[in-house]
Amino acid sequence: MITLKNIVKVYKTGDLELKALDGVNLTVKEGEFVTIMGPSGSGKSTMMNILGCLDTASSGDFILDDLNINQASEDELAEIRNRKIGFVFQSFNLLSRTTALENVELPMLYNGVNARERRAKALNALTGVGLSERIHHKPNELSGGQQQRVAIARSLVNNPVIIMADEPTGNLDSKSSVEIMSVFQQLNTMGITIILVTHEPDIAQHSNRIIHFKDGLIDRDEMVEDRSMAE
Ligand code: ADP
Ligand code: ADP
């Protein structure tokens, strides 16, 4: 599903060059649930931006679902993101004045899906994350964990093959964090590949594989033997 070969990312600021990724090699198979860990500045965000087709590498090969991303133009990247990738963020990024249902419908509006189908798919996604009772609530009427469920439902409606989640439990208490991880586990069981950044070792234990970054390289890549299943 994902192959990275010798991925280098250099940021140029004036005369300064900073190598954020220093030749990363990585394969992620369809249906894996991967967490990325590592100290601040180790290249996690840079890696996520490249994997999420938000930014391109300075050099190296990136194959995603048989597409060669190196050669992709800005428009092609946007198209690939739209068709294949769902994004979940630490701060939920919901529109505050609109209901849960409308937030989830929004990505389909941009894709020209008709109103009836938007409603049906949004309801289905919200039911899937356990929020069917809260669809007419606005974000400030929902708990953090519920808001993140709305965001996850929103990430699903264009049928992504991958979900990229950047610190999705960073603003949640530990109980809600475990609940959100069990939502990701459930989606993963349905076949969606998940790539998630976290600072919390306990959270990483809910995935299948933990990749540790250090100084722009993969320092350790370990399988989780007995991933904890949330109640
Ligand atoms: P992490 O997410 O692990 O904290 P980052 O990928 O954000 O690491 O950063 C890796 C390195 O690249 C850091 O030294 C950071 O300061 C630098 N960096 C990240 N983004 C940029 C950018 N847009 N411009 C310049 N330097 C950047
Ligand atoms: P995180 O908490 O995810 O590691 P950072 O604080 O490293 O995020 O970076 C936040 C944003 O700022 C990212 O989009 C990153 O690309 C950008 N950034 C990080 N370091 C620099 C830098 N030295 N110069 C410019 N942008 C940077």
Side-chain angles (χ1 to χ4, degrees):
M1 154 136 305
I2 292 170
T3 307
L4 301 178
K5 280 194 194 137
N6 204 19
I7 291 289
V8 173
K9 179 66 179 182
V10 179
Y11 291 113
K12 295 196 177 80
T13 320
D15 289 343
L16 271 176
E17 285 200 353
L18 193 145
K19 206 181 261 189
L21 295 177
D22 196 9
V24 173
N25 294 296
L26 174 66
T27 305
V28 176
K29 294 201 212 61
E30 191 174 349
E32 284 199 89
F33 186 169
V34 177
T35 46
I36 295 180
M37 301 192 75
S40 189
S42 59
K44 303 183 299 295
S45 303
T46 303
M47 189 76 268
M48 289 294 274
N49 288 343
I50 290 172
L51 289 171
C53 299
L54 294 159
D55 197 3
T56 50
S58 308
S59 64
D61 288 318
F62 172 23
I63 314 286
L64 170 64
D65 223 11
D66 294 331
L67 296 171
N68 188 330
I69 308 297
N70 317 332
Q71 268 95 49
S73 66
E74 284 292 327
D75 285 352
E76 287 165 340
L77 284 180
E79 170 75 11
I80 292 164
R81 286 199 300 274
N82 193 28
R83 283 212 328 264
K84 295 193 181 287
I85 307 174
F87 293 92
V88 177
F89 308 94
Q90 177 170 359
S91 50
F92 321 133
N93 294 8
L94 300 174
L95 295 181
S96 59
R97 291 165 191 272
T98 56
T99 65
L101 188 59
E102 290 160 341
N103 267 283
V104 176
E105 286 182 346
L106 202 61
M108 294 182 281
L109 190 62
Y110 298 136
N111 271 2
V113 178
N114 72 50
R116 179 194 297 235
E117 195 179 339
R118 286 203 301 274
R119 178 86 10 141
K121 284 191 168 172
L123 278 171
N124 191 34
L126 283 162
T127 303
V129 299
L131 264 193
S132 55
E133 314 276 281
R134 295 279 191 282
I135 61 172
H136 297 304
H137 289 61
K138 292 184 179 160
N140 68 4
E141 298 162 342
L142 297 170
S143 70
Q146 289 170 340
Q147 290 181 60
Q148 194 60 296
R149 285 166 193 263
V150 176
I152 293 171
R154 180 185 57 189
S155 79
L156 289 172
V157 291
N158 287 336
N159 305 317
V161 290
I162 299 178
I163 291 181
M164 307 285 304
D166 194 354
E167 297 266 1
T169 63
N171 283 340
L172 302 178
D173 61 42
S174 55
K175 180 162 175 284
S176 308
S177 295
V178 170
E179 285 168 6
I180 288 300
M181 291 307 287
S182 79
V183 173
F184 283 124
Q185 286 179 342
Q186 195 188 319
L187 298 174
N188 181 238
T189 306
M190 290 160 51
I192 301 178
T193 304
I194 297 174
I195 302 182
L196 183 152
V197 170
T198 184
H199 283 108
E200 301 164 79
D202 290 352
I203 290 299
Q205 288 301 318
H206 293 261
S207 72
N208 295 130
R209 178 179 175 189
I210 308 177
I211 297 175
H212 299 263
F213 273 77
K214 189 180 169 191
D215 300 331
L217 278 172
I218 293 175
D219 184 45
R220 241 174 337 126
D221 185 345
E222 57 191 13
M223 304 308 286
V224 178
E225 290 303 327
D226 182 23
R227 85 174 178 188
S228 29
M229 291 300 292
E231 294 303 317

Short mmCIF file of all heavy atoms in Angstrom, two decimals, residues 11 13 18 39-41 44-46 49 90 166-167 197 199, ligand 2:
data_model
loop_
_atom_site.label_atom_id
_atom_site.label_comp_id
_atom_site.label_asym_id
_atom_site.label_seq_id
_atom_site.Cartn_x
_atom_site.Cartn_y
_atom_site.Cartn_z
N TYR A 11 14.36 21.29 4.45
CA TYR A 11 13.69 22.60 4.52
C TYR A 11 14.74 23.68 4.31
O TYR A 11 15.79 23.67 4.95
CB TYR A 11 13.04 22.81 5.89
CG TYR A 11 11.84 21.93 6.15
CD1 TYR A 11 11.90 20.94 7.13
CD2 TYR A 11 10.65 22.10 5.44
CE1 TYR A 11 10.80 20.14 7.40
CE2 TYR A 11 9.55 21.30 5.71
CZ TYR A 11 9.63 20.33 6.68
OH TYR A 11 8.54 19.54 6.94
N THR A 13 15.48 27.65 4.63
CA THR A 13 15.04 28.94 5.16
C THR A 13 16.18 29.91 4.94
O THR A 13 17.19 29.87 5.64
CB THR A 13 14.71 28.83 6.67
OG1 THR A 13 14.04 27.60 6.92
CG2 THR A 13 13.84 29.98 7.14
N LEU A 18 17.86 22.55 6.49
CA LEU A 18 17.67 21.60 7.60
C LEU A 18 17.10 20.30 7.06
O LEU A 18 16.08 20.30 6.38
CB LEU A 18 16.71 22.23 8.62
CG LEU A 18 16.67 21.49 9.96
CD1 LEU A 18 16.48 22.50 11.08
CD2 LEU A 18 15.59 20.44 9.97
N PRO A 39 10.86 11.85 19.67
CA PRO A 39 10.95 13.16 20.32
C PRO A 39 10.58 14.31 19.38
O PRO A 39 10.56 14.13 18.16
CB PRO A 39 12.42 13.26 20.75
CG PRO A 39 13.14 12.18 20.00
CD PRO A 39 12.15 11.15 19.62
N SER A 40 10.30 15.45 19.96
CA SER A 40 10.01 16.65 19.17
C SER A 40 11.19 16.94 18.24
O SER A 40 12.35 16.85 18.65
CB SER A 40 9.78 17.81 20.13
OG SER A 40 9.29 18.91 19.43
N GLY A 41 10.90 17.26 17.00
CA GLY A 41 11.95 17.57 16.04
C GLY A 41 12.52 16.36 15.34
O GLY A 41 13.43 16.49 14.51
N LYS A 44 8.50 13.53 12.72
CA LYS A 44 7.17 12.90 12.66
C LYS A 44 6.18 13.70 11.80
O LYS A 44 5.51 13.15 10.94
CB LYS A 44 6.58 12.74 14.08
CG LYS A 44 7.46 11.96 15.04
CD LYS A 44 6.79 11.80 16.39
CE LYS A 44 6.49 13.12 17.10
NZ LYS A 44 7.68 13.89 17.49
N SER A 45 6.10 15.02 12.06
CA SER A 45 5.14 15.84 11.31
C SER A 45 5.52 15.88 9.83
O SER A 45 4.64 15.81 8.96
CB SER A 45 5.12 17.28 11.83
OG SER A 45 4.81 17.30 13.19
N THR A 46 6.80 15.98 9.56
CA THR A 46 7.27 15.99 8.17
C THR A 46 6.88 14.68 7.47
O THR A 46 6.37 14.70 6.35
CB THR A 46 8.80 16.18 8.14
OG1 THR A 46 9.11 17.40 8.82
CG2 THR A 46 9.33 16.23 6.72
N ASN A 49 3.13 14.68 6.87
CA ASN A 49 2.77 15.58 5.76
C ASN A 49 3.06 14.93 4.41
O ASN A 49 2.29 15.10 3.46
CB ASN A 49 3.52 16.91 5.86
CG ASN A 49 3.00 17.76 7.00
OD1 ASN A 49 1.90 17.52 7.51
ND2 ASN A 49 3.77 18.75 7.41
N GLN A 90 -5.50 16.70 16.30
CA GLN A 90 -5.54 16.82 17.76
C GLN A 90 -6.69 17.72 18.21
O GLN A 90 -7.38 17.44 19.18
CB GLN A 90 -4.19 17.39 18.25
CG GLN A 90 -4.16 17.63 19.74
CD GLN A 90 -2.75 17.95 20.23
OE1 GLN A 90 -1.79 17.97 19.46
NE2 GLN A 90 -2.63 18.18 21.51
N ASP A 166 -3.15 12.80 13.57
CA ASP A 166 -2.02 13.48 14.21
C ASP A 166 -2.39 13.80 15.66
O ASP A 166 -3.19 14.70 15.90
CB ASP A 166 -1.69 14.76 13.43
CG ASP A 166 -0.35 15.33 13.83
OD1 ASP A 166 0.27 14.81 14.78
OD2 ASP A 166 0.08 16.30 13.19
N GLU A 167 -1.85 13.05 16.59
CA GLU A 167 -2.14 13.23 18.03
C GLU A 167 -3.65 13.29 18.31
O GLU A 167 -4.12 14.21 18.99
CB GLU A 167 -1.50 14.54 18.53
CG GLU A 167 0.01 14.56 18.44
CD GLU A 167 0.66 14.11 19.75
OE1 GLU A 167 -0.06 13.78 20.70
OE2 GLU A 167 1.89 14.07 19.79
N VAL A 197 0.06 9.49 14.90
CA VAL A 197 1.18 9.98 15.71
C VAL A 197 0.71 10.15 17.15
O VAL A 197 -0.38 10.67 17.39
CB VAL A 197 1.70 11.35 15.19
CG1 VAL A 197 2.69 11.95 16.18
CG2 VAL A 197 2.35 11.20 13.84
N HIS A 199 2.41 10.79 21.41
CA HIS A 199 3.53 10.85 22.36
C HIS A 199 3.35 9.84 23.49
O HIS A 199 4.25 9.66 24.29
CB HIS A 199 3.62 12.25 22.98
CG HIS A 199 4.22 13.27 22.07
ND1 HIS A 199 3.49 14.26 21.46
CD2 HIS A 199 5.49 13.43 21.65
CE1 HIS A 199 4.30 14.99 20.71
NE2 HIS A 199 5.52 14.50 20.81
P1 ADP B 2 4.50 18.96 16.30
O1 ADP B 2 4.02 19.44 17.63
O2 ADP B 2 3.49 18.17 15.52
O3 ADP B 2 5.84 18.31 16.33
P2 ADP B 2 5.80 21.33 15.43
O4 ADP B 2 5.60 22.23 16.60
O5 ADP B 2 7.12 20.66 15.22
O6 ADP B 2 4.64 20.26 15.41
O7 ADP B 2 5.47 22.11 14.10
C1 ADP B 2 4.23 22.72 13.89
C2 ADP B 2 4.21 23.24 12.47
O8 ADP B 2 5.27 24.19 12.28
C3 ADP B 2 4.44 22.15 11.45
O9 ADP B 2 3.57 22.37 10.34
C4 ADP B 2 5.87 22.27 11.03
O10 ADP B 2 6.05 21.90 9.67
C5 ADP B 2 6.13 23.75 11.22
N1 ADP B 2 7.53 23.97 11.68
C6 ADP B 2 8.19 23.28 12.61
N2 ADP B 2 9.44 23.72 12.76
C7 ADP B 2 9.57 24.77 11.90
C8 ADP B 2 10.63 25.66 11.56
N3 ADP B 2 11.84 25.56 12.14
N4 ADP B 2 10.39 26.60 10.64
C9 ADP B 2 9.19 26.67 10.05
N5 ADP B 2 8.16 25.86 10.30
C10 ADP B 2 8.34 24.92 11.21
#
